[in-house]
Amino acid sequence: MRRRRIYEGKAKVLFEGPQPGTIVQYFKDDATAFNNQKHGVITGKGVLNNRISEYLMVRLGEMGIPTHFVRRLNMREQLVREVEIIPIEVVVRNVAAGSISQRLGLEEGTPLPRPIIEYYLKDDKLGDPMVSEEHITAFGWATTQDLDDIVQLALRVNDFLSGLFLGVGLKLVDFKLEFGRLWEDDEMRIVVADEISPDSCRLWDVETNERLDKDRFRRDLGNVEDAYREVARRLGVLPDNIPAEPARPKLVH
Ligand code: TMP
Ligand code: ASP
């Protein structure tokens, strides 16, 4: 089916959905890191992230945590509600790793005293700088009320996903969420948007601390595809065969 392309990001393409107020998210195999400086392809990643994100968003929905997810359409696409994306990446950390370890000199793997929430402005030109609540409200990226909702949702997602992953032998070290404003009649609700996958989470094996996430790509650790497959397998959503990425859908003028 030919559809109008709305936006192409680093790992996904968004198309106009079949009904007004819907969007189709197409998951690519492309991977980038360090603000686009490193590029690569992780074969099968799009198929796996589509399944993993579907699974996690559905589970969150069952817990009463609102998300943009509607349903998976096929191997690489899912239907989501159209939302107004809040231009902030919300990172929740349970264990020190990555940028917090560098910034604060914490050894990777050090448990944090409590979950820590950080905000980064979504702006590739600026390299997604860290920002504070003061910046967010002063510049109008979100209101104080929005931020209250975001913090509550982020902590509920963290509690729920930490338990879910622990159940399959994975430690949720940290993850990134995006939120959107969903308008229904005159009411606005903040919902979890984008995706939740090994691209946006750090997941370490509970026994061995082996990294089963995008850090394998970022840090050239090898076995990148296997890590994504292993996460899908543990969640029970590994497809039997992963088809190659089809030719890019055509842009309709
Ligand atoms: P960081 O330690 O590099 O700040 O990353 C924290 C978490 O956020 C980690 O799970 C990876 C995820 N993340 C993204 O999803 N997108 C990004 O652009 C970055 C920098 C991190
Ligand atoms: N996806 C981000 C980028 O391209 C960073 C990352 O996930 O490490 O730059």
Side-chain angles (χ1 to χ4, degrees):
M1 184 170 57
R2 289 178 154 234
R3 285 192 284 255
R4 202 165 66 81
R5 175 157 43 179
I6 296 170
Y7 176 80
E8 175 146 12
K10 288 175 272 196
K12 292 189 294 297
V13 190
L14 303 185
F15 296 93
E16 209 168 63
Q19 300 92 25
T22 64
I23 300 271
V24 174
Q25 279 193 341
Y26 175 94
F27 287 74
K28 300 189 282 184
D29 285 347
D30 300 64
T32 65
F34 313 119
N35 197 29
N36 238 340
Q37 290 177 58
K38 179 177 172 131
H39 285 255
V41 170
I42 303 172
T43 307
K45 172 171 83 78
V47 173
L48 295 167
N49 281 359
N50 189 22
R51 294 277 177 141
I52 293 168
S53 197
E54 170 195 22
Y55 178 81
L56 298 174
M57 293 281 186
V58 168
R59 294 284 90 81
L60 290 175
E62 288 169 357
M63 294 303 292
I65 298 171
T67 81
H68 71 162
F69 183 82
V70 179
R71 66 174 179 276
R72 191 169 59 80
L73 297 172
N74 54 50
M75 292 297 258
R76 286 185 184 272
E77 293 179 321
Q78 52 181 239
L79 188 68
V80 301
R81 305 282 300 269
E82 184 175 20
V83 298
E84 183 184 299
I85 288 285
I86 293 168
I88 301 292
E89 301 201 340
V90 178
V91 169
V92 184
R93 301 180 186 274
N94 299 305
V95 172
S99 67
I100 198 175
S101 288
Q102 290 200 318
R103 193 178 291 119
L104 303 182
L106 297 169
E107 191 183 342
E108 290 203 310
T110 310
L112 297 168
R114 59 163 185 263
I116 293 177
I117 299 183
E118 296 173 345
Y119 305 106
Y120 296 85
L121 179 64
K122 273 170 69 73
D123 186 324
D124 286 341
K125 279 202 288 296
L126 299 177
D128 294 353
M130 193 176 188
V131 292
S132 70
E133 281 195 35
E134 281 285 282
H135 298 125
I136 294 170
T137 53
F139 291 110
W141 298 315
T143 65
T144 308
Q145 177 61 51
D146 292 338
L147 279 178
D148 283 350
D149 292 353
I150 286 170
V151 168
Q152 287 221 24
L153 286 169
L155 293 175
R156 283 176 70 196
V157 171
N158 183 47
D159 282 347
F160 180 68
L161 290 188
S162 292
L164 185 152
F165 280 119
L166 201 56
V168 297
L170 292 170
K171 188 165 22 175
L172 181 60
V173 168
D174 57 34
F175 61 100
K176 183 265 294 182
L177 291 175
E178 294 188 24
F179 292 91
R181 296 190 186 90
L182 181 61
W183 295 90
E184 281 167 326
D185 303 320
D186 277 343
E187 303 261 296
M188 186 276 284
R189 272 195 305 161
I190 293 197
V191 304
V192 176
D194 193 49
E195 69 177 280
I196 307 176
S197 72
D199 273 11
S200 60
C201 301
R202 283 197 175 92
L203 299 166
W204 294 4
D205 181 85
V206 173
E207 300 293 326
T208 64
N209 278 342
E210 186 189 3
R211 292 165 194 268
L212 296 170
D213 56 55
K214 194 175 161 191
D215 271 347
R216 301 205 75 81
F217 167 77
R218 294 190 190 96
R219 303 180 184 191
D220 296 318
L221 301 175
N223 299 326
V224 187
E225 285 87 356
D226 292 345
Y228 283 74
R229 296 176 76 95
E230 179 61 12
V231 172
R233 190 190 67 76
R234 292 194 192 188
L235 294 175
V237 297
L238 182 64
D240 297 338
N241 62 327
I242 297 180
E245 190 162 20
R248 284 292 165 72
K250 297 218 170 41
L251 182 62
V252 176
H253 294 284

